[in-house]
């Protein structure tokens, strides 16, 4: 399984390699997202974050259930790591002489995030057929949880060692690979 502690782009590359050794996995829409190291000739909007995207070539593998599940697991691991970082960050910050982590609202927000992560994990581990709609629903819940966690960091979340970059990349990757592709269809 990909390791979120080494940064999202490297973890995404590891997922590509685990799913399709020697190849990159393409989305249903015909795009690939990977690290800038894996797609070095692409200079897209993600390059400043250590990632890149490209139109899928013939040397790509179409995304299947294993890759889609891997993305959800990678996102879940990233969020668990973000909860741990939030606890450490908030424990080190004080207001009125007490740690922010000791505040009931902060503890409640962290507990809610942990519960949401666990519920999402249970959703994708439930038996039954995987599906695009199910994957999309889970990814949207993971994205919302990440955004709420980022609020706890304040401006610190956007520092170089903050969680914002990896959370942003996880959101972009989810949108590329897990989107059901219905935005142009009538309801």
């Amino acid at each position: 399984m990909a390791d979120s502690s080494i940064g999202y782009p490297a973890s995404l590359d590891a997922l590509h390699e685990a799913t399709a050794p020697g190849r990159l996995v393409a989305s249903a829409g015909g795009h690939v997202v990977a690290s800038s190291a894996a797609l070095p000739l692409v200079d897209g909007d993600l390059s400043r974050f250590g990632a890149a995207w490209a139109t899928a070539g013939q040397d790509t593998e179409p995304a299947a259930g294993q890759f889609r599940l891997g993305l959800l697991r990678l996102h879940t691991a990233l969020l668990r790591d973000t909860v741990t970082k939030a606890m450490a960050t908030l424990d080190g910050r004080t207001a009125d002489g007490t740690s922010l982590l000791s505040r009931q609202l902060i503890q409640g927000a962290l507990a809610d995030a942990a519960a949401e992560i666990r519920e999402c994990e249970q959703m994708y581990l439930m038996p039954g057929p995987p599906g695009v709609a199910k994957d999309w629903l889970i990814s949207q819940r993971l994205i919302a949880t990440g955004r709420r966690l980022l609020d706890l960091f304040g401006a610190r979340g956007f520092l170089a060692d903050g969680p914002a970059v990896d959370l942003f990349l996880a959101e972009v990757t989810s949108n590329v690979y897990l989107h059901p592709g219905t935005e142009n269809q009538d309801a």
Side-chain angles (χ1 to χ4, degrees), residues 67-88:
F67 186 80
R68 298 170 63 87
L69 178 58
L71 281 178
L72 294 173
R73 286 182 169 162
L74 180 58
H75 203 154
T76 301
L78 175 62
L79 291 177
R80 288 187 185 284
D81 186 52
T82 303
V83 168
T84 300
K85 287 178 181 174
M87 291 174 65

Side-chain angles (χ1 to χ4, degrees), residues 47-109:
S47 61
R48 66 177 171 227
F49 304 118
W53 68 272
T55 300
Q58 293 181 347
D59 59 338
T60 58
E61 180 84 21
Q66 183 183 0
F67 186 80
R68 298 170 63 87
L69 178 58
L71 281 178
L72 294 173
R73 286 182 169 162
L74 180 58
H75 203 154
T76 301
L78 175 62
L79 291 177
R80 288 187 185 284
D81 186 52
T82 303
V83 168
T84 300
K85 287 178 181 174
M87 291 174 65
T89 298
L90 295 167
D91 194 33
R93 296 179 66 193
T94 60
D96 298 327
T98 61
S99 163
L100 292 179
L101 187 59
S102 67
R103 305 247 168 147
Q104 190 174 14
L105 286 175
I106 298 291
Q107 292 175 354

Side-chain angles (χ1 to χ4, degrees):
M1 183 67 230
D3 181 359
S4 68
S5 66
I6 59 173
Y8 192 82
S11 296
L12 183 59
D13 287 352
L15 179 60
H16 280 287
E17 184 63 24
T19 306
R23 302 170 76 183
L24 295 174
V25 177
S27 71
H31 294 94
V32 172
V33 179
S35 74
S36 297
L39 292 171
L41 300 177
V42 178
D43 188 16
D45 292 335
L46 300 176
S47 61
R48 66 177 171 227
F49 304 118
W53 68 272
T55 300
Q58 293 181 347
D59 59 338
T60 58
E61 180 84 21
Q66 183 183 0
F67 186 80
R68 298 170 63 87
L69 178 58
L71 281 178
L72 294 173
R73 286 182 169 162
L74 180 58
H75 203 154
T76 301
L78 175 62
L79 291 177
R80 288 187 185 284
D81 186 52
T82 303
V83 168
T84 300
K85 287 178 181 174
M87 291 174 65
T89 298
L90 295 167
D91 194 33
R93 296 179 66 193
T94 60
D96 298 327
T98 61
S99 163
L100 292 179
L101 187 59
S102 67
R103 305 247 168 147
Q104 190 174 14
L105 286 175
I106 298 291
Q107 292 175 354
L110 289 168
D112 288 347
E116 184 72 14
I117 294 165
R118 184 71 180 143
E119 285 178 20
C120 288
E121 188 175 55
Q122 291 303 308
M123 286 176 67
Y124 66 68
L125 292 176
M126 287 176 44
V132 172
K134 178 180 167 184
D135 292 349
W136 180 244
L137 173 67
I138 295 168
S139 75
Q140 292 305 289
R141 290 179 69 175
L142 293 172
I143 288 168
T145 300
R147 289 180 179 181
R148 285 193 300 276
L149 282 171
L150 193 55
D151 286 343
L152 295 173
F153 285 88
R156 289 179 182 221
F158 296 90
L159 295 175
D161 62 346
V165 168
D166 283 346
L167 290 172
F168 170 71
L169 291 174
E171 184 170 338
V172 168
T173 306
S174 291
N175 286 331
V176 169
Y177 285 99
L178 303 177
H179 192 282
T182 58
E183 70 275 5
N184 294 325
Q185 296 177 2
D186 293 329

